[in-house]
Amino acid sequence: MGVFERHKPREPRWLGPTAPARMALIPSISAARWLLILIAAAGIYFFYGFLVPVLAAAVIGFATWPLYSDLVRRTNGNTTLAATIAIAFIVTFLVLPIVLSAIYMVGEVREWFAWAVHVNRDGAPPPQWILALPIVGSWLGDQWTQYVGSPGSIGELAQLVSGAHIGNIYRAVLAAGGGAFHVVLTLLFMLIALFFIYRDGANFVRQVDLLGERILPNRWERISRVIPATISSTVMGMTLIAIGEGVVLGVAYWIAGAPSAVTLGVLTGVMALVPGGAPLSMSLVSIYLIASGSHWAGIGLFIWGTVELFVVDKTLRPKLVGGPIKLPFLPTFFGLVGGVKTMGFLGLFIGPVLMAIIVAIWREWIREAELTEEQHAQEPELQLRIRDGSDG
C-alpha cells in the first residue's frame, strides 16, 4: 500500500504540472506587492469619480475625530448611533449653510454677468463712486473708459484673460445651475463615506497601521502622528476659520448695505484661506461703501471687521491651530488654485490640506536628515573620547 501511494501519479494542477525543485521566476513577496499595486491602480481607475467625496469625507473625519470620540463615549460605545448623530450635526451646521450660500451666490453672479454682457454691448460711463475716490479716482476712471466703458471692451478683456468670449462665459455661468444634481450626488456620497469612516474608523486605522509598519517600518510611527495632526490643524486653523469669517463678514456686508452680500461673503471666506486675504476683502468693500456715499456704513464696517479679524487671529486661531505645521503663503496658494482646478469647490478645502501633508512629510524628511548629520558629526568626537579613556 505504501509503495502504491509512493508511485501514485499526481493529479494535474490548474496551470499544469509543477516541479517543486525549480526556482520561481518572481519571488512570492515581489509578486504580491506588484499584484497589490495593480489592484490599487485598477481601483483608482474604476472609482475615480468617488475619489473627491471620499477624500473630503476622510479630511472631515480626521479633523473632527476628537469630537467624535467624545460623542462615542457619551453614547456608551455605540458607534452607529454616534456616527448618525455626527452626520446630522454636519448636515445641519456645515452642509446646508454651504449649499444655501452657493445657491444665492450663483444667482448673484448671474446678475453680474448679465450686467457685463449689457455693458459690453452698449458701453457704460465710469460710476460716480470710482471718480469720487481720492488720489486714484481720475486714473481709475480713465482705465474704466479704456477697458470697460466702450462697447466690446469687456469682451476683449475677457478673451485676453480667459481665452473665451464674454458670451461663452455667460452661457457657462447660466449652465452652472445644471451641475446642481452632480453637487448633490457628491455631497450624498461624501456623507455616506463619512458615516462609515466614523463607524468603522478605529478598525480601519488599526489595519492601516499594520500595513504601514510593514511598508515603512522606520518612519510610519512619526508619519502616522504627523498627518492626522496636520489635517486637524489645517482644517481647524484655516478652513473652519475661513468659513466663519466669510459668514460673519457676509452678515456685516448685508447690514452695511453692500450689494451682493452673499457673494462678497463667500469671496471673503475664500480669500481668508490665504494670509491677509480677509482684511484685504473687508477693506475693499469698506472703501466701496465710503466712495459710493455710505460713509458711516463703510467706516463702521471697517472698524467692525478690524476688531473681529484681530480677535480671531490673536485668540481663536492660536487655540484651534494645535498641529505641527504652519503652512507658508506659496504652498497655501498652490493648494487653493490646484484644488479648485482639480476638484472644483471642494478643492478649496482639500487642496490646502493635501499641500499641508506634503509640507509636513518634507519637513519630517529634512528633520531626519539633520539628525543623521548630527549623529555623523558626533561620532568622531565620541570615538576620540573612547580612545582617550582607554589610553588613560
Side-chain angles (χ1 to χ4, degrees):
M1 187 67 179
V3 175
F4 176 75
E5 289 181 353
R6 187 182 304 115
H7 297 284
K8 183 179 179 180
R10 297 179 179 178
E11 296 180 0
R13 291 178 170 268
W14 180 48
L15 295 178
T18 59
R22 293 179 182 177
M23 296 294 294
L25 293 177
I26 302 176
S28 59
I29 297 179
S30 299
R33 289 176 179 174
W34 281 108
L35 181 61
L36 182 61
I37 292 174
L38 290 176
I39 293 175
I44 293 174
Y45 175 77
F46 285 106
F47 300 105
Y48 174 76
F50 300 95
L51 181 62
V52 172
V54 170
L55 195 59
V59 169
I60 296 175
F62 271 118
T64 59
W65 192 258
L67 298 176
Y68 172 72
S69 300
D70 183 66
L71 184 59
V72 171
R73 288 192 296 270
R74 293 178 181 272
T75 55
N76 297 323
N78 191 336
T79 56
T80 302
L81 178 60
T84 304
I85 296 174
I87 293 297
F89 272 100
I90 289 175
V91 169
T92 304
F93 297 105
L94 182 62
V95 175
L96 286 181
I98 291 178
V99 170
L100 293 177
S101 300
I103 292 174
Y104 277 98
M105 185 185 69
V106 169
E108 292 177 351
V109 170
R110 285 179 177 178
E111 294 180 0
W112 289 7
F113 273 92
W115 172 85
V117 171
H118 173 73
V119 172
N120 183 68
R121 183 179 63 248
D122 301 329
Q128 191 62 35
W129 68 268
I130 290 182
L131 298 176
L133 291 173
I135 302 175
V136 296
S138 59
W139 179 81
L140 289 177
D142 296 337
Q143 300 301 314
W144 177 283
T145 303
Q146 180 180 356
Y147 295 105
V148 179
S150 58
S153 297
I154 294 183
E156 296 176 359
L157 183 62
Q159 187 173 7
L160 179 64
V161 173
S162 64
H165 295 284
I166 183 67
N168 295 334
I169 298 175
Y170 179 58
R171 283 188 289 271
V173 173
L174 291 179
F181 181 69
H182 175 71
V183 174
V184 171
L185 283 181
T186 301
L187 289 174
L188 180 61
F189 287 133
M190 183 196 73
L191 294 174
I192 293 174
L194 183 58
F195 174 82
F196 286 100
I197 287 175
Y198 280 145
R199 197 189 69 172
D200 305 322
N203 294 329
F204 182 72
V205 167
R206 283 194 291 268
Q207 296 173 8
V208 171
D209 285 337
L210 181 62
L211 294 178
E213 290 293 341
R214 292 290 188 91
I215 299 173
L216 299 172
N218 297 325
R219 296 185 177 91
W220 180 254
E221 184 178 358
R222 289 200 308 273
I223 292 177
S224 62
R225 292 198 308 266
V226 169
I227 290 180
T230 299
I231 293 176
S232 179
S233 64
T234 304
V235 173
M236 291 294 183
M238 292 176 55
T239 307
L240 291 185
I241 289 181
I243 293 175
E245 289 181 350
V247 171
V248 173
L249 290 177
V251 173
Y253 297 158
W254 176 71
I255 294 175
S260 304
V262 175
T263 302
L264 291 177
V266 172
L267 293 177
T268 301
V270 173
M271 291 296 294
L273 294 170
V274 181
L280 177 62
S281 302
M282 180 269 301
S283 300
L284 291 177
V285 176
S286 300
I287 292 174
Y288 163 77
L289 290 174
I290 293 174
S292 60
S294 303
H295 300 90
W296 290 111
I299 294 173
L301 175 63
F302 183 79
I303 295 175
W304 163 252
T306 302
V307 173
E308 185 264 335
L309 293 174
F310 178 81
V311 171
V312 169
D313 289 336
K314 297 301 180 182
T315 60
L316 187 59
R317 191 186 299 270
K319 292 182 179 180
L320 291 178
V321 181
I325 188 171
K326 300 293 186 296
L327 198 60
F329 171 79
L330 195 59
T332 303
F333 180 75
F334 285 161
L336 289 173
V337 176
V340 172
K341 185 178 180 181
T342 306
M343 303 177 184
F345 179 73
L346 291 176
L348 287 173
F349 313 105
I350 299 177
V353 170
L354 294 180
M355 189 60 68
I357 293 174
I358 293 174
V359 173
I361 294 175
W362 173 262
R363 289 178 178 176
E364 282 295 311
W365 283 347
I366 295 298
R367 177 177 172 272
E368 183 178 351
E370 291 176 349
L371 291 176
T372 304
E373 291 293 334
E374 291 178 1
Q375 291 177 358
H376 287 314
Q378 293 174 359
E379 284 180 359
E381 182 180 356
L382 182 60
Q383 293 176 359
L384 181 60
R385 290 180 180 178
I386 295 174
R387 187 176 59 188
D388 291 342
S390 60
D391 293 341

